[in-house]
Amino acid sequence: MPNTQPRATDPPPEGRHLILVGNGDAHLHVAAHAERLIRHGARVTLVTRQDFAFSDWLGGMLGGEWQRDDVRLPADRIAVHGGVHVGAEVVQVDRYQRRLTLTDGRELDYDWLSLDLPPVVDEHAIPGFYTAQGVFTASADDLWQLRQRLESQLAGAAARLPRVALLGGGPNGVELAANLLALGERYGRRLPVTLIANDRKLLPGACHRANRWLTQRLHRRGLQLELVAKASRYHRGQLILDDGSGVDADLLVVTDHLKPSPTLDMFGLTRDENDAIDVDAKLRSRQDPNLFLAREKPAGRSAPLTTRERNALLLASLEEAAGGESRALHHGHNEHWKALNLGDLRDIAWRGPLWCRGRWVRRWKHRRDRREVAHYLGER
């Protein structure tokens, strides 16, 4: 591909330049609303070789409801919203000149840079991790591989089913665990699944009644729960928990023993003792104000952001930067209903102390999700 960077004699392009590096959920949301930034005079460029994955459908894909092509959203559809896609990766960063060098040789100058790079498994988090028969993250490719592996064994009536342990609670862990159960139910077999989480409730942000209903329902479907627990090591087919007890596990699905993408290292940002980068309440690096980091915890927040809260916060922060106007950003815990696909047509939704469940939640969630996907693809 030829180098398309303008020559020194060319007139500079109009508009300040925002570059999005990475195919994470927050960048999918920003790409789907790039016209809001463009209205403020910004140029928006997305740099990633990988397509997006619609995270709200990953659980359903694991459970057999969606196919891999359903959850993949082409990165080049940012063009529908006025942005530009560059199918490359960053190989060199000059933060002082605000310049990126890409794998195809071109150089891109930026005014603002946003990083949303999916994390990777921390292989040192649990001793013996990789002696398991398989270790999978919550990425679309990993979950698809896990589903294919499980389906081949579920389809063989005489085959012993592998024992699956999911490390990491919260809504994401619950949704994946429920859909692993659903995958077995599609074949009329009970897949042995254990969810290990260091929380007292399955959904820390939901009320007691919602958690009680959800816990009872998953128990009836065969889920083994280990709450207020941490895995300390893996040894001979067992996860050893911090209280000394063991959980049989052949396959591991990891959602919280993760570390930042190695690509972040080339940006030379200082990390604290928890391997975190200091950002303000608007996800802006305190060390480099031209840099936004979607996956860091914003200042002033005691609890982690949900995916939708993070997406909205990043878009609002970038829009404020592009518009040059400072305004309060509201991102409270209870502004929006949250919903989970439980894989059995009876989903659950909650908003602070309010909650509901049933088939109508599934229908509402499907309409909302399909509307978001259609908007990004330009299928209005």
Side-chain angles (χ1 to χ4, degrees), residues 121 129-137 142 149 250-254:
V121 172
F129 229 12
Y130 280 98
T131 61
Q133 295 179 19
V135 179
F136 305 87
T137 67
D142 272 17
R149 181 167 179 169
D250 303 307
L251 305 177
L252 308 179
V253 183
V254 183

Side-chain angles (χ1 to χ4, degrees), residues 202 210-220 225 227:
L202 285 175
N211 274 280
R212 183 177 62 186
W213 176 86
L214 180 60
T215 302
Q216 291 173 348
R217 184 157 193 84
L218 293 177
H219 267 307
R220 287 197 299 269
L225 280 173
L227 297 180

Side-chain angles (χ1 to χ4, degrees), residues 88-102:
E89 294 179 357
V90 177
V91 294
Q92 188 175 343
V93 179
D94 185 340
R95 288 197 293 111
Y96 299 99
Q97 296 293 326
R98 285 187 251 165
R99 179 171 298 147
L100 303 179
T101 303
L102 308 183

Side-chain angles (χ1 to χ4, degrees), residues 15-55:
R16 302 185 75 186
H17 197 190
L18 165 65
I19 298 181
L20 311 172
V21 176
N23 66 325
D25 296 330
H27 278 178
L28 171 59
H29 184 69
V30 173
H33 298 86
E35 53 264 80
R36 287 171 51 176
L37 303 168
I38 293 169
R39 281 199 294 268
H40 291 290
R43 295 180 295 124
V44 181
T45 299
L46 170 66
V47 176
T48 177
R49 274 182 173 165
Q50 290 78 34
D51 288 332
F52 291 114
F54 187 60
S55 60

Side-chain angles (χ1 to χ4, degrees), residues 31 95 100 149 176 197 230 244 247 273 306 329 337 346:
R95 288 197 293 111
L100 303 179
R149 181 167 179 169
L176 294 179
K230 291 182 179 180
V247 172
E273 63 276 6
T306 66
L329 301 178
W337 283 89
R346 291 173 176 84

